[in-house]
Amino acid sequence: GDSVTQMEGPVTLSEEAFLTINCTYTATGYPSLFWYVQYPGEGLQLLLKATKADDKGSNKGFEATYRKETTSFHLEKGSVQVSDSAVYFCARYTGNQFYFGTGTSLTVIP
Amino acid sequence: EPEVTQTPSHQVTQMGQEVILRCVPISNHLYFYWYRQILGQKVEFLVSFYNNEISEKSEIFDDQFSVERPDGSNFTLKIRSTKLEDSAMYFCASSQGTGRAREQYFGPGTRLTVT
């Protein structure tokens, strides 16, 4: 069935390191793809999204490109900060429902 | 910035008891949702609600679950007789509309622990 698979964590990086969190999806049709972030004690917040193939979503230095040929939507950031420590969820949107991955916990140390 | 709120943040209950999880969606939103996340597993869709009725529900949302919008601001999820496997984080969400890429705004979640 349709699903979202994302890289397992936890991930620990030093400040200013490069971040990649992998996400792949299976789906019929062409879903919209999202990254949500959950900071400690808070709800899920939309980080970025892409609605069609080759679209690039970007926000707060994070980027992800909708790759239809590899069915991927990997999240990247060139230089992480301590304030980026959070859980990141990849999701696809089909039929008015979100289907989430399991989440990847990121800790950035000074 | 408007936000979705949920109460309580943590609820502990005994197996077989009824629980009601509360959510206050963003005021001009028309569509409401419940999701849950069992520890270490995916966030799963439970139900969507529009115009005072359920519009979609997943297989998880069986007869033990019900949703209600008792007034103009609250949106509740009731579990009639809790089971151990209902222990999870429950997220409420709301959106202005539906359709492609219509953003859902999520609350901080209620952690339900069934003992």
Side-chain angles (χ1 to χ4, degrees):
Chain A
D2 296 353
S3 68
V4 174
T5 302
Q6 67 180 99
M7 174 176 153
E8 288 194 24
V11 174
T12 302
L13 294 173
S14 297
E15 207 164 21
E16 299 183 5
F18 184 85
L19 168 71
T20 300
I21 301 178
N22 290 338
C23 172
T24 58
Y25 67 92
T26 60
T28 53
Y30 302 99
S32 296
L33 301 174
F34 297 77
W35 278 99
Y36 275 82
V37 58
Q38 186 178 30
Y39 298 103
E42 299 184 19
L44 297 170
Q45 298 175 24
L46 177 65
L47 181 60
L48 54 82
K49 66 185 180 188
T51 59
K52 60 184 189 297
D54 300 324
D55 267 4
K56 178 188 282 189
S58 60
N59 186 24
K60 300 181 182 178
F62 290 89
E63 292 183 341
T65 301
Y66 190 140
R67 302 265 187 224
K68 189 160 73 89
E69 63 277 10
T70 54
T71 61
S72 65
F73 193 56
H74 304 322
L75 182 68
E76 297 182 334
K77 186 173 185 182
S79 176
V80 293
Q81 306 300 311
V82 171
S83 57
D84 293 327
S85 298
V87 181
Y88 293 82
F89 293 89
C90 184
R92 66 168 177 83
Y93 180 78
T94 310
N96 196 30
Q97 291 184 27
F98 276 94
Y99 298 85
F100 288 87
T102 51
T104 301
S105 174
L106 170 67
T107 301
V108 180
I109 54 178
Chain B
E1 187 176 335
E3 58 183 18
V4 176
T5 60
Q6 291 185 241
T7 54
S9 57
H10 190 191
Q11 172 90 46
V12 181
T13 189
Q14 289 190 325
M15 198 167 54
Q17 296 296 305
E18 174 184 286
V19 293
I20 297 176
L21 309 183
R22 290 183 166 80
C23 169
V24 178
I26 294 172
S27 61
N28 64 343
H29 285 186
L30 302 175
Y31 294 81
F32 314 111
Y33 312 85
W34 283 101
Y35 293 81
R36 79 170 186 192
Q37 184 184 29
I38 295 171
L39 188 64
Q41 298 185 24
K42 299 184 179 190
V43 176
E44 301 169 293
F45 169 77
L46 292 178
V47 65
S48 60
F49 190 87
Y50 169 71
N51 199 25
N52 281 320
E53 59 184 28
I54 290 172
S55 47
E56 289 177 80
K57 61 182 181 179
S58 70
E59 290 177 357
I60 303 166
F61 194 87
D62 62 21
D63 292 344
Q64 291 298 312
F65 292 90
S66 62
V67 289
E68 193 179 26
R69 189 151 163 82
D71 52 44
S73 59
N74 290 283
F75 179 52
T76 62
L77 174 70
K78 182 194 290 186
I79 308 176
R80 234 178 300 282
S81 176
T82 50
K83 304 187 283 286
L84 293 176
E85 53 265 36
D86 293 327
S87 295
M89 180 74 89
Y90 289 80
F91 294 103
C92 173
S94 68
S95 66
Q96 285 184 314
T98 62
R100 201 164 182 78
R102 181 66 66 180
E103 182 181 350
Q104 294 181 16
Y105 292 78
F106 286 80
T110 293
R111 181 169 297 285
L112 176 65
T113 302
V114 182
T115 62

